[in-house]
Amino acid sequence: AQSVAQPEDQVNVAEGNPLTVKCTYSVSGNPYLFWYVQYPNRGLQFLLKYITGDNLVKGSYGFEAEFNKSQTSFHLKKPSALVSDSALYFCAVNPDGRSSGSARQLTFGSGTQLTVLP
Amino acid sequence: KAGVTQTPRYLIKTRGQQVTLSCSPISGHRSVSWYQQTPGQGLQFLFEYFSETQRNKGNFPGRFSGRQFSNSRSEMNVSTLELGDSALYLCASSFGQPGAYEQYFGPGTRLTVT
């Protein structure tokens, strides 16, 4: 079964500084990787995904993530943090199309609360 | 294009009752997934429907069930409610079966069981 680890429950960063939210995964076969963001009292919003190709993926609101197969990581990054980026961030993984049945369900990490300080 | 809508947004029930939650996906999306979100367990997958067929089910008891209609709208039902069922229930839709397709989430239904 696949799993996702977000080792930091909380990340604090000053506005204007770069931010990184960490994610590592375990999956049979090749992974489909996603980042979602959740604002208070809201559902999740899709930020970006890695399916194949370039290891650096660019997404919404200036976020990007780098897929590292050897380290099984998919860290979320942004060059310059904004106060409005403060939210709960989820990494998720799905095995690729060669897996089937119950294995093919989106598995989320536990979430990382990002706080950007003014 | 309208987003995923869920009704009701808030619900208070007592133990032993049953509840039905509704989800309308984005137009053109045929896959609907349901998740339970709690502070302790995080986001847990309940089930996924594609073209009216349940394609995948998470590790939840049989009290949790769902269905999808021909217009892709979906409902989930929880019977014999327990206190531990208090959670935010999220519905998500995608164009195809979740895999490479990203999911679009509704705002959720906050269920409180007393």
Side-chain angles (χ1 to χ4, degrees):
Chain A
Q2 63 262 28
S3 65
V4 177
Q6 293 182 243
E8 299 158 319
D9 292 336
Q10 175 84 39
V11 169
N12 296 326
V13 63
E15 188 174 30
N17 282 2
L19 70 86
T20 299
V21 182
K22 296 179 181 178
C23 170
T24 58
Y25 66 90
S26 173
V27 69
S28 298
N30 294 316
Y32 294 150
L33 293 157
F34 302 82
W35 276 102
Y36 289 85
V37 60
Q38 186 176 31
Y39 297 98
N41 301 314
R42 303 277 294 276
L44 278 68
Q45 293 179 31
F46 168 74
L47 278 179
L48 52 79
K49 68 180 179 183
Y50 171 82
I51 303 302
T52 188
D54 194 349
N55 289 343
L56 184 64
V57 179
K58 293 188 183 296
S60 306
Y61 313 121
F63 284 93
E64 58 188 30
E66 185 166 12
F67 171 63
N68 187 317
K69 187 172 184 177
S70 62
Q71 297 186 4
T72 61
S73 67
F74 189 56
H75 301 331
L76 181 69
K77 301 182 180 185
K78 187 174 182 181
S80 179
L82 300 172
V83 172
S84 57
D85 293 331
S86 298
L88 186 57
Y89 289 80
F90 290 95
C91 182
V93 67
N94 215 334
D96 68 8
R98 285 168 289 184
S99 300
S100 62
S102 61
R104 291 202 68 206
Q105 58 181 254
L106 195 60
T107 300
F108 286 87
S110 55
T112 299
Q113 180 67 49
L114 173 68
T115 300
V116 181
L117 305 167
Chain B
K1 189 181 273 191
V4 177
T5 58
Q6 292 186 246
T7 55
R9 291 292 311 276
Y10 302 91
L11 207 49
I12 299 175
K13 292 285 189 178
T14 56
R15 277 182 300 174
Q17 288 186 312
Q18 74 165 20
V19 66
T20 299
L21 311 181
S22 181
C23 171
S24 293
I26 290 172
S27 178
H29 285 190
R30 292 190 294 164
S31 172
V32 173
S33 298
W34 288 89
Y35 297 87
Q36 181 195 66
Q37 185 177 23
T38 59
Q41 299 298 316
L43 273 161
Q44 292 188 286
F45 171 76
L46 279 158
F47 26 66
E48 183 246 332
Y49 288 87
F50 183 81
S51 294
E52 303 179 65
T53 301
Q54 186 181 90
R55 296 301 180 104
N56 217 337
K57 190 177 191 306
N59 190 23
F60 278 82
R63 299 185 297 107
F64 291 81
S65 63
R67 59 178 175 169
Q68 187 180 33
F69 301 97
S70 57
N71 61 359
S72 293
R73 192 176 69 84
S74 177
E75 290 181 346
M76 66 163 281
N77 184 278
V78 187
S79 62
T80 319
L81 284 165
E82 301 178 359
L83 294 178
D85 297 334
S86 294
L88 180 67
Y89 289 88
L90 293 165
C91 166
S93 75
S94 59
F95 179 74
Q97 284 189 266
Y101 291 104
E102 62 270 23
Q103 295 185 309
Y104 293 85
F105 285 77
T109 295
R110 174 76 61 186
L111 172 64
T112 301
V113 182
T114 61

